């Protein structure tokens, strides 16, 4: 085998995660901002669901199905984010960029639902 036919081996798709790169201040700030918006939105929706469940229980209605549906929605969202985080191209990303991507994907739906419930109930 001569030197012209040698090739470098391609990295395995499930290879090791790259070492942490120093995040840019903008990337870190945007990641934290999106994470706070997501957590605040999910917290608002959860408190809203619990308040409605308490009112329904006080009225004598069954709230098991209502709470089970909300828990299923949360579990589905968490499973989809976990599936995205385990994809090989996402795993090979540097951790600050991966966190920004996952926060950017997780933020819009809870934020939209929180804004809709906030504006329609107040």
């Amino acid at each position: 085998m001569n030197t012209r036919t040698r090739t470098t081996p391609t990295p395995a798709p499930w290879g090791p995660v790259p070492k942490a790169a120093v995040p840019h201040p903008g990337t870190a700030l945007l990641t934290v901002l999106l994470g706070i918006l997501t957590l605040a939105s999910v917290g608002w929706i959860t408190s809203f669901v619990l308040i409605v469940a308490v009112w329904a229980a006080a009225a004598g209605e069954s709230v098991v199905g209502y709470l089970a549906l909300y828990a299923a929605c949360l579990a589905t969202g968490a499973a989809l984010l976990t599936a995205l985080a385990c994809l090989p191209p996402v795993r090979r990303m540097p951790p600050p960029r991966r966190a920004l991507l996952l926060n950017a994907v997780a933020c819009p739906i809870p934020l939209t639902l929180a804004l809709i419930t906030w504006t329609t109930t107040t």
Side-chain angles (χ1 to χ4, degrees):
M1 178 182 279
N2 65 28
T3 58
R4 284 185 278 174
T5 59
R6 291 185 187 169
T7 60
T8 58
T10 58
W14 294 100
V17 177
K19 292 185 179 181
V22 177
H24 297 290
T27 303
L29 182 67
L30 191 56
T31 301
V32 169
L33 179 67
L34 287 173
I36 289 172
L37 283 174
T38 304
L39 289 176
S41 301
V42 171
W44 165 258
I45 295 168
T46 301
S47 65
F48 184 74
V49 166
L50 292 176
I51 289 170
V52 170
V54 167
W55 286 345
E61 298 291 324
S62 174
V63 295
V64 174
Y66 184 68
L67 293 176
L69 178 65
Y70 181 67
C73 287
L74 282 179
T76 302
L80 288 175
L81 279 176
T82 303
L84 177 65
C86 291
L87 288 175
V90 177
R91 287 192 65 221
R92 286 191 295 265
M93 292 174 78
R97 289 186 185 159
R98 183 174 45 227
L100 179 61
L101 173 73
L102 293 175
N103 279 323
V105 169
C107 186
I109 293 174
L111 185 61
T112 303
L113 290 175
L115 289 175
I116 289 171
T117 58
W118 179 273
T119 57
T120 58
T121 59
T122 55

